[in-house]
Amino acid sequence: MAPEEEKTALTVGVVLTSDPEGSRASLAAFCKALSDATGFEVNGLGGWNYNTLLEALETGEVDLAWLPPLVAMRATSRARVMPIVLPVRNGASSYRTALYAPQDSPIRDISDLQGLRAAWVDRQSAAGYIVLRAHLRAIGVDLDRAFRENLFFGSHGEVARAVLQGSADVGATFVHVEPDPSHPRGERVVRAGWEAAEVHVITCAGPIPADVMAASVRVPVATMRKVQRALVGSGNNELGRAARTLFGAEGFVVALSEHLDPLAKLIAKQESEG
């Protein structure tokens, strides 16, 4: 690794959205703001998938990357990256996943999961497939018996549509909660994939960390820390505004091992049993 004083330029990698030109413009604005905040020369690189982005991190083409939680967790476990910050959305840096049915459905709890049609987002979705299934297996649910059909709809909105219109019996989606002593569970849902629909939550799992800003292990620790301090302290300055546009983040918190540990243990259990 080069001496820390020689690391004066950084490349930030993201996977482009369905609006690549808009993503590139937002990435450029973020890089300029991060450069102004840290004094480093910061450039952006837009990729088309996370495998390519991980390869760029490993080769040193990319120094910092925006990764979904499962990708970040697996890359971290292989000593390829170091998580540095998590975004805060709706006042939280993590969320949960829920299995739900329409409010008037006879499916009320885990014991009712027999021969159902399940709606999932896709096989790579943390909240819309992987974590919920790992949770069900961990509590003893036989997934083959529980779900006679596994249907994939590509988005949380389409999963909700399938469940509410009767194309599926149950569905999985993200859930954001906040403490509420008056609620029987001690918390209430403030945002979820079903939006304003009336549903019944069968079971929840989590927490799942939000997306992660991770650094290649090639980046000197002092450089990581300077970027970390700039992002965590961005508040309402230009860097904070650029981060909101690019990542939908209202702020950042320092990424700690305990943010990824619950998810890592759940997935490790699933993979060891699978």
Side-chain angles (χ1 to χ4, degrees), residues 25-269:
S26 297
L27 177 58
F30 175 79
C31 290
K32 181 182 184 305
L34 184 59
S35 178
D36 291 343
T38 61
F40 299 128
E41 177 188 340
V42 183
N43 298 296
L45 180 67
W48 297 106
N49 61 67
Y50 289 110
N51 287 334
T52 301
L53 194 54
L54 286 175
E55 288 175 7
L57 276 165
E58 192 164 330
T59 61
E61 183 182 1
V62 165
D63 301 294
L64 306 169
W66 194 254
L67 303 173
L70 288 172
V71 173
M73 180 203 72
R74 287 172 172 149
T76 300
S77 69
R78 295 168 188 158
R80 298 166 74 179
V81 304
M82 177 72 69
I84 58 174
V85 296
L86 305 178
V88 175
R89 299 188 182 102
N90 298 296
S93 60
S94 64
Y95 59 98
R96 298 184 190 179
T97 175
L99 187 71
Y100 66 101
Q103 182 61 51
D104 59 357
S105 169
I107 303 164
R108 310 307 290 175
D109 56 41
I110 295 298
S111 63
D112 297 321
L113 302 182
Q114 297 289 332
L116 305 180
R117 299 166 299 164
W120 312 103
V121 176
D122 62 57
R123 294 183 187 276
Q124 300 305 312
S125 172
Y129 184 72
I130 295 174
V131 176
L132 201 290
R133 288 175 65 88
H135 165 69
L136 291 174
R137 288 188 65 179
I139 61 177
V141 174
D142 183 328
L143 299 181
D144 291 333
R145 291 185 178 182
F147 308 122
R148 63 180 169 84
E149 285 188 71
N150 292 292
L151 309 170
F152 297 91
F153 291 91
S155 73
H156 293 277
E158 289 303 311
V159 165
R161 186 190 304 275
V163 171
L164 296 170
Q165 293 183 353
S167 301
D169 302 305
V170 295
T173 194
F174 66 88
V175 176
H176 291 270
V177 300
E178 66 178 22
D180 182 356
S182 67
H183 194 279
R185 293 183 179 178
E187 60 190 19
R188 66 184 182 90
V189 174
V190 294
R191 191 165 71 91
W194 56 76
E195 297 185 345
E198 293 290 330
V199 304
H200 172 73
V201 174
I202 299 163
T203 187
C204 280
I208 303 170
D211 299 346
V212 176
M213 175 69 84
S216 165
V217 293
R218 294 168 176 260
V219 177
V221 172
T223 302
M224 292 186 198
R225 295 290 179 254
K226 192 167 185 178
V227 171
Q228 187 182 62
R229 287 193 298 270
L231 290 170
V232 171
S234 57
N236 292 319
N237 63 23
E238 191 59 37
L239 179 56
R241 288 188 285 274
R244 280 193 291 276
T245 300
L246 182 59
F247 304 123
E250 61 198 48
F252 295 92
V253 295
V254 173
L256 303 173
S257 61
E258 51 261 39
H259 289 128
L260 293 175
D261 282 351
L263 181 58
K265 290 175 181 176
L266 193 61
I267 299 305
K269 180 176 176 63

